[in-house]
Amino acid sequence: MAVNLRELSKKKVPFTGGHRLCAGCGASIVVRQMLAAADHPVVAGVATGCLEVATTIYPYSAWETPLIHNAFENVAATISGAEAAYRSLKAQGKVDKEIKFMAFGGDGGTYDIGLQSLSGAMERGHNMVYVCYDNGAYMNTGIQRSSATPMGADTSTSPAGSKIPGKPGHRKNLTAIMAAHNIPYVAQTTPAHWRDLVTKTKKALEVEGPAFINVLATCPRGWRIPDDATISTLRLATDTCFWPLFEVEYGEWKLNYRPREKKPIEEWMKPQGRFRHLFREENKHLLEEIQAEVDRNWEQILRFVDGK
Amino acid sequence: MGETTRRLMQGNEAIVEAALVAGCRFFAGYPITPSTEIAELLAARLPQAGGRFIQMEDEIASMGAAIGASLTGTKSMTATSGPGFSLKQENLGFASLTEVPVVVVNVQRMGPSTGMPTAPSQGDIMQARWGTHGDHPVVAMAPASVGETYEATIKAFNISEALRVPVVILLDEVIGHMREGVEIPRAEDIQLLERKGPSTGPADHLPYADDGTGVPEMAPFGTGYRYHVTGLFHDETGFPDMSNATADTLMRRIMGKMERHRDVYEWTETTDTEDAEVLLVTYGSPAQAARSAIRRARREGMKVGEFRVVTVWPFPEERLRQLAGGVREIIVPEMNLGQLRLEVERVVAGRARVSGINRTDGDIFKPDEIYAGIREVYGGER
């Protein structure tokens, strides 16, 4: 599946500029690149979150697609209904156009409150692509921890102080949970690897049945990084193996990027203000624990990939 | 002991500070505007007070965790707004039927659905009463200022513990986010009520036996009292019993305990009602605009009084019935299309004419609007 940058750049993407997402926000890059990959008209759904709020501020909308925003927990269910009805209309000969269905949710709306709805949609087998833009906290309501928040991150509900050094536990491996659904396509990517992102989106849109893509996305406010550090920070996430790029097709794991040299996790964490307190002497053991968790996850993926 | 102090605080902060004073040591929550500050502040304050804060995966789970924590004998709370309050309804019914004390804060925003997340509303008044299915006891309070929110929060825990009933605190968004000076009472002036513990040993304990008060004794989990808690109808032992007689006894007891303990939760304020021809029935933030409108109307010779309801549910029927006999017109200002007015009309039952002044655009009342409503009643005569 060749992706041509020149052609891609000429494509009219049904997601306009002028929305109110922050400078440096990863979510809008994710949506733009993914919609650019679609070769058919898309019906989109968005869960409550920054993306929904900031791209649809009345009287404007950045979306040049039909768009459904229902609630926080049910974008997968809502798109399920639209897709099922479309299939019925198609079977009755009332629609002949090929239409793709995409649902977008943040980590709050996907890892936490929307997980049941997502799992149901994947199990039922709707022909849809669910995209999670994972920025690792509830950024829309002011940076509260989610089950995607990395261990040690300072958030407004896991405040680093004398009682806890930021979020106490490790994050949930949602991509692996979705892979365990044994659906046609599951992948993990970032907008820093645009070719990987676009290729995976095309694959997801083309498979018959449900697909899930987890995309790491920065939040300059929540991560406490400058707004021009989006791509470099995301690249470090893959180079430290915090966020491996892989895909799972019908249960077959495949690694898409193996860094030449696996960098220590500190290199990803250091530029982010949300981890600042972890670099104090008394928290050194936590950095070691975080590194150990990254290593565990990475080795697990390698085992899955190599089939050992 | 300490002195009273005066502090500038936000409504959501008043909830937090008062909950800690009331003995709340457990909070399970989920971020939602305009209530998020409650979770954020408790995430920092509860661990300092030896309590526990947990952020859950959604509002259903938050309510479940608060109920679970309360069963261990810990005063527990959760906080949310409209969409989350909808999700909590099943568990609210569970807490009503299993009689688990819990305080639920709903900082109301415009609904239905996602609505207007940062705009004030009183649209959840009827939901607070009848949001979960089945007949059920519930208490709901709607304070009119930040200071009163502080007071109401302490009272909410007292009511919940004393009567083993879920208590809902209904703030309007504007109370939740507004900052006002609050008189913090001295510790010795604060009366705290605790749930009634078991009077017998574990072997003889009947967790749902009526000791004559309608409120059963409650043994904390983990102290040797092993009993069954279920959302099925149950007998005195707590075990499910679907017989008609048991169901009837249980339902009449849990509803009856509310009727007989009105003194525990009833909270109303009357102002200028002695000679009133027109009565404003107010609750929540519109009461602040109403107060100013009434003062102006009084200065101009209009005989207007106010009946302010802080505990909205169970509704103070008797008190309103007494007042309604002496006035010719009752006006209910609400930030909805007339929800509490329905209850006022039912209770007044034709003794006086009842009308509403309603805002449902996401903005708060200005005193002029309520004044205009009062003026209209006098319009023909002046």
Side-chain angles (χ1 to χ4, degrees):
Chain A
M1 202 168 301
V3 174
N4 183 314
L5 184 58
R6 183 186 307 225
E7 276 169 30
L8 206 62
S9 67
K10 283 189 203 150
K11 212 165 155 187
K12 178 163 168 32
V13 180
F15 185 80
T16 68
H19 53 71
R20 319 252 188 106
L21 284 162
C22 303
C25 171
S28 53
I29 310 174
V30 170
V31 175
R32 266 191 76 78
Q33 290 192 5
M34 293 188 104
L35 288 178
D39 294 321
H40 296 284
V42 169
V43 169
V46 281
T48 302
C50 285
L51 177 67
E52 167 264 317
V53 167
T55 61
T56 63
I57 292 175
Y58 183 82
Y60 305 107
S61 171
W63 297 79
E64 292 182 335
T65 67
L67 185 76
I68 315 169
H69 163 232
N70 187 344
F72 202 2
E73 69 277 18
N74 55 16
V75 64
T78 309
I79 288 296
S80 293
E83 186 272 346
Y86 160 73
R87 263 198 299 186
S88 167
L89 290 172
K90 219 174 175 189
Q92 295 170 55
K94 291 180 177 167
V95 179
D96 56 1
K97 229 196 295 186
E98 181 67 16
I99 296 170
K100 299 295 182 185
F101 292 84
M102 294 183 83
F104 294 90
D107 48 293
T110 307
Y111 282 69
D112 292 344
I113 193 168
L115 185 59
Q116 175 176 323
S117 175
L118 168 61
S119 178
M122 298 291 108
E123 185 272 334
R124 284 188 304 270
H126 296 281
N127 193 11
M128 61 183 275
V129 179
Y130 190 105
V131 178
C132 174
Y133 69 97
D134 174 355
N135 55 22
Y138 292 81
M139 304 309 185
N140 184 40
T141 41
I143 320 169
Q144 294 84 28
R145 59 88 88 192
S146 76
S147 60
T149 303
M151 181 175 168
D154 176 41
T155 75
S156 63
T157 51
S158 62
S162 58
K163 296 288 175 185
I164 51 165
K167 191 197 165 195
H170 293 294
R171 61 199 303 285
K172 181 194 279 183
N173 189 344
L174 178 68
T175 317
I177 294 171
M178 297 324 294
H181 283 67
N182 293 323
I183 52 176
Y185 192 72
V186 171
Q188 190 162 285
T189 183
T190 92
H193 300 75
W194 66 268
R195 190 186 295 278
D196 187 76
L197 176 68
V198 171
T199 308
K200 284 174 175 169
T201 308
K202 281 184 179 292
K203 275 192 181 177
L205 285 165
E206 268 161 41
V207 293
E208 197 53 48
F212 172 82
I213 305 184
N214 203 357
V215 194
L216 189 68
T218 50
C219 172
R221 292 273 303 113
W223 293 21
R224 307 284 179 216
I225 55 171
D227 54 24
D228 62 356
T230 299
I231 299 300
S232 57
T233 309
L234 291 173
R235 199 170 286 282
L236 275 170
T238 54
D239 285 344
T240 54
C241 298
F242 171 80
W243 194 260
L245 305 183
F246 63 89
E247 59 194 340
V248 188
E249 291 180 73
Y250 292 104
E252 279 300 307
W253 288 64
K254 187 181 161 202
L255 194 64
N256 308 108
Y257 175 70
R258 198 185 287 257
R260 201 162 297 150
E261 178 206 356
K262 182 166 169 265
K263 293 184 171 158
I265 190 64
E266 291 177 30
E267 287 193 31
W268 179 65
M269 297 171 77
K270 192 103 200 204
Q272 301 182 46
R274 62 176 169 161
F275 298 121
R276 187 175 299 125
H277 55 285
L278 295 178
F279 290 87
R280 283 190 222 122
E281 193 53 36
E282 70 267 25
N283 287 330
K284 218 175 149 205
H285 65 286
L286 292 171
L287 285 176
E288 283 161 18
E289 202 182 321
I290 291 164
Q291 181 66 61
E293 175 72 3
V294 169
D295 295 347
R296 246 195 319 273
N297 282 333
W298 175 244
E299 276 148 30
Q300 186 188 49
I301 287 168
L302 293 182
R303 274 200 306 279
F304 287 159
V305 169
D306 300 338
K308 277 184 213 155
Chain B
M1 295 292 282
E3 302 258 301
T4 57
T5 47
R6 207 170 156 75
R7 262 189 65 188
L8 181 71
M9 58 170 94
Q10 201 190 42
N12 285 343
E13 194 183 352
I15 295 264
V16 167
E17 294 307 323
L20 290 168
V21 166
C24 173
R25 288 297 177 270
F26 183 88
F27 180 91
Y30 189 72
I32 184 165
T33 306
S35 78
T36 307
E37 293 84 3
I38 298 173
E40 289 179 334
L41 290 166
L42 280 168
R45 297 282 278 114
L46 265 177
Q48 292 165 352
R52 184 96 175 140
F53 165 89
I54 313 184
Q55 186 181 314
M56 301 299 287
E57 70 272 22
D58 61 23
E59 288 89 348
I60 300 172
S62 310
M63 188 68 205
I67 290 168
S70 180
L71 281 166
T72 71
T74 308
K75 291 185 185 178
S76 304
M77 180 168 81
T78 183
T80 190
S81 183
F85 193 54
S86 292
L87 291 178
K88 288 184 193 291
Q89 294 303 325
E90 185 187 17
N91 269 325
L92 257 166
F94 179 85
S96 285
L97 186 66
T98 56
E99 301 174 78
V100 176
V102 61
V103 174
V104 179
V105 182
N106 173 9
V107 187
Q108 298 168 94
R109 66 195 219 183
M110 275 291 285
S113 192
T114 309
M116 291 160 75
T118 54
S121 162
Q122 294 180 304
D124 307 347
I125 291 295
M126 278 298 174
Q127 189 190 19
R129 180 62 197 92
W130 294 117
T132 198
H133 59 283
D135 284 334
H136 59 275
V138 71
V139 173
M141 311 171 86
S145 67
V146 176
E148 197 168 79
T149 298
Y150 188 95
E151 220 179 314
T153 304
I154 294 173
K155 202 167 162 71
F157 278 97
N158 283 349
I159 296 165
S160 189
E161 296 292 317
L163 302 184
R164 294 188 59 178
V165 65
V167 177
V168 179
I169 303 175
L170 293 165
L171 295 191
D172 341 340
E173 179 277 342
V174 66
I175 304 270
H177 280 160
M178 180 167 58
R179 284 180 170 77
E180 285 183 303
V182 175
E183 201 76 46
I184 312 280
R186 293 180 307 178
E188 63 265 36
D189 293 338
I190 296 171
Q191 193 208 354
L192 296 184
L193 301 180
E194 308 295 332
R195 66 186 73 169
K196 185 168 55 184
S199 57
T200 58
D204 303 317
H205 180 59
L206 282 171
Y208 288 98
D210 187 354
D211 62 0
T213 65
V215 185
E217 297 169 348
M218 192 171 184
F221 274 13
T223 56
Y225 290 80
R226 195 161 66 86
Y227 61 99
H228 192 82
V229 180
T230 177
L232 289 163
F233 273 62
H234 42 270
D235 64 13
E236 293 183 335
T237 65
F239 284 106
D241 181 355
M242 250 42 73
S243 73
N244 303 132
T246 301
D248 188 74
T249 304
L250 176 58
M251 180 54 80
R252 289 185 193 282
R253 179 177 63 72
I254 62 174
M255 295 303 277
K257 75 179 174 185
M258 301 312 294
E259 202 43 54
R260 46 200 285 204
H261 295 292
R262 278 191 175 268
D263 57 311
V264 175
Y265 56 79
E266 206 156 87
W267 181 3
T268 61
E269 307 277 344
T270 46
T271 320
D272 299 332
T273 51
E274 299 75 19
D275 62 342
E277 302 162 346
V278 173
L279 183 70
L280 264 64
V281 178
T282 63
Y283 63 100
S285 74
Q288 295 211 17
R291 191 89 287 276
S292 163
I294 291 167
R295 275 200 299 267
R296 180 171 164 197
R298 280 263 161 195
R299 278 200 302 274
E300 293 172 14
M302 292 177 257
K303 290 180 176 162
V304 187
E306 184 189 17
F307 177 55
R308 192 162 66 80
V309 182
V310 185
T311 299
V312 180
W313 305 117
F315 193 74
E317 299 180 10
E318 208 35 59
R319 193 77 192 89
L320 178 61
R321 219 170 271 134
Q322 289 160 8
L323 290 167
V327 299
R328 61 184 172 94
E329 175 99 15
I330 292 174
I331 305 173
V332 190
E334 296 180 84
M335 288 192 286
N336 59 48
L337 285 177
Q339 294 189 17
L340 199 69
R341 189 172 85 220
L342 293 172
E343 184 70 0
V344 171
E345 282 168 351
R346 183 185 73 76
V347 170
V348 169
R351 288 180 186 84
R353 220 174 75 88
V354 180
S355 62
I357 306 176
N358 307 91
R359 273 207 96 125
T360 185
D361 60 350
D363 203 355
I364 56 168
F365 277 109
K366 277 98 194 150
D368 284 356
E369 291 158 1
I370 295 175
Y371 170 80
I374 298 168
R375 192 75 189 78
E376 217 176 282
V377 174
Y378 282 92
E381 300 171 19
R382 298 169 74 89

